[in-house]
Every structure is written in structure tokens, then in C-alpha cells.
Amino acid sequence: SEMCIRDRSTWEAVVSTQSTWGVRMNRREEGVKVAVRCRPRSTYEAGSERQVVVDIDNAARTVVLRNTWKPTEEPKRFTFDYAFGMEATQEQIYRESASDIVQGVLDGRNGTIFAYGQTASGRSFTMEGRNEPELRGIIPRSFEHIFTEIGVRTDRQYVVRVSYFELYNDEFIDLLSKNKRQKLELREKPTGFFLKDLTSIVVRDAREMNDQLVLGMRNRNVAYTAMNANSGRSHCTFSISVEYNEQESDGSQSVRKGTLNMVNLAGGEKFSKTGAAGERVREAVNLNKSLKALVDVLSALADPKIKHIPFRSSKLTKFMQESLAGNTNVLMIANVSPVDWNHEETLSTLRLAS
């Protein structure tokens, strides 16, 4: 189902990967922050009496993971920039962790927000939300934030553009192109990589921006798996470019630009849990391969002894080079399951995020 505000009347109302994920992220001076969000138990998990093994203290920003399969094992404790438990609201998560990055884009700085975690850990709910005002995710909330701020900044003239694309089976696809399923070529420039002929649409208000999000979501690759009835089969990025003219003290005009990339990384998968077969297997292999490449990049960034960062090892890491290594404010949201059945995947995600 489309998990955003998909009609104007409503708008008006307004990871599991492998063990290699166990690396430590470097908090670079450019502004990397990490949040962890634990979703509530699903109806199935509650009905099958799956035990909750994750304890989160929002004020202390700590996450404690217990292993009920090994009761004598000492619980694992982690501390993050933000920690959100099962009771956290969409508004709280946006206000406390994401709003500053969006505000920075309005002042000409670049920002990247990406969510990761195993399949069915709540990434799409965090980023996109649902078709109810209070359940909007980070992406649609950023629309209202941007145009509310533009409305009060009468000293500036803004132009806002959006793009939406996915990386599916190692091919970039333009989700807003009139030519549906238009594949895009990844090209190199001095500062990194870009997508040739990517559709860029000028939007005048939050509703127009939301319309483009809905259009792109209808074109995305999703499929049923045993862990998620609407499992994303691609890594998706909704990109907002904010450009404005500003008058300098000497009377001259300058142009500034900030870009916000909001990335929903498809979840890492274990075939034994998702029940993948046929085409789902090929999709999952490509998803896990690109996530592994991202892990290698994060691991290299975290180690000051490593001089070479393997951004060129995959299309995903090539495209994310500027978003991770450039002068960009970054928020990574690690989404985890609360139950014992997913202990191994939750531990891997927490180790990567810590």
C-alpha cells in the first residue's frame, strides 16, 4: 500500500545483513548523527508470544538488547545520538532528529537522511508513514517544513525541485519519468557521481511535492515476502533541491543551493525467513550485495588507518559518495525489531549504528 498522504483532501487535514555489519561508524565533523528506532510488536508477534528483547531509554539515548536464547549472556548496551522506543511518535522523531537537517538545506547546506534495517523493521513507516496526518513519516513532514519556512522568508526568492528514483537489480530507474521504468546512466563528475537525464520537477507548494512522491511510489518495485506483504525490492531516494537568491551587503545577488536526499534502503534479507524464490531471490541477492558494499564503505570511513574508501565497489556507494564523504549533514536511522526471533539481525544493526 502507498504509505504517504496520497489525496489532497487528506493533505489539507494536516537489516538484517551479514555479520560484517558489526562495524563502528565514525562521527565526522560534517555532522553525522545516528538514531535508533524500535517498532512495536506486530499482531502476529504478540499472538505468537514472541518476547520483547529490546529496552530503550529515550532520555539516556541507550538501547539494551537481551538474548533470551542464551539467558546467561550479558545484555548488550549501546548509546546513540537519539534512541526511540516503541511508544515514539512520528512527530517526535521528526522534531528531535530530522528537522535540523531539513532546516540546514533551507540555508544552503546539503543533508542526507537514510533509514536501514532488516526487512519488516519499520524503515518505510519511519521515512514515508501512512495516509493519516499524525502518522506521516519524515519525507512528507519535510514538505510542510520546507514550504512553511519559505513562506516567512520574504527576503529570498526560492526555487524548489524534486526527483525520485530507485536502484532495482543494480539499475537506476527514474520514478517520475513520463517514460515509465526509464533507466538512468550513472555518470562521473569531479566531486562524485550523478544520474544523467534524471527528471527534475519544479514544485510550488507542499501538496505538489506530495503529489510527486505519490506518483513515484506507484512506480516502485514492491513484492510479497513471508516477512512483509509489501516489501520494498529497491533502494529509493527522494531528492529535494532548494535554490534561492540572496542579497549581499554590497547590494549584489548571490545564489545558494541545498540538496536533501532522503533514502529508504531496502532491508537485508535471509532467504530462510523471507521465503524468497525465483525473481525474489535475484532481487535479494542484489539488495544484499549493495548493502554489503555500503558496509565496507562505512567500515573504511570509520578506520583512520584506511586511506582508500571503496566507493566504486557498487552503484549504490558510487551514488552515495557525496552524501557520506562530502560536506553534508547526515542522519542515519537504524530501525530494529523488538522480538527475540530477530535478535541476530537486531544485534548486527545496532553494532553498525554504534
Side-chain angles (χ1 to χ4, degrees), residues 145-164:
H145 183 163
I146 288 169
F147 281 99
T148 297
E149 182 71 12
I150 286 175
V152 299
R153 295 302 299 266
T154 57
D155 59 322
R156 296 176 178 175
Q157 293 181 326
Y158 284 90
V159 177
V160 181
R161 297 179 176 87
V162 299
S163 299
Y164 197 12

Side-chain angles (χ1 to χ4, degrees), residues 281-292:
V281 170
R282 188 166 77 95
E283 292 168 346
V285 167
N286 279 308
L287 292 176
N288 289 341
K289 180 181 178 181
S290 58
L291 286 170
K292 172 60 168 59

Side-chain angles (χ1 to χ4, degrees), residues 238-262:
F238 192 89
S239 183
I240 303 173
S241 170
V242 179
E243 188 174 306
Y244 64 90
N245 294 324
E246 190 170 48
Q247 186 169 331
E248 304 292 347
S249 57
D250 62 0
S252 63
Q253 292 285 328
S254 64
V255 177
R256 300 189 67 182
K257 178 182 177 181
T259 299
L260 175 63
N261 287 316
M262 292 179 283

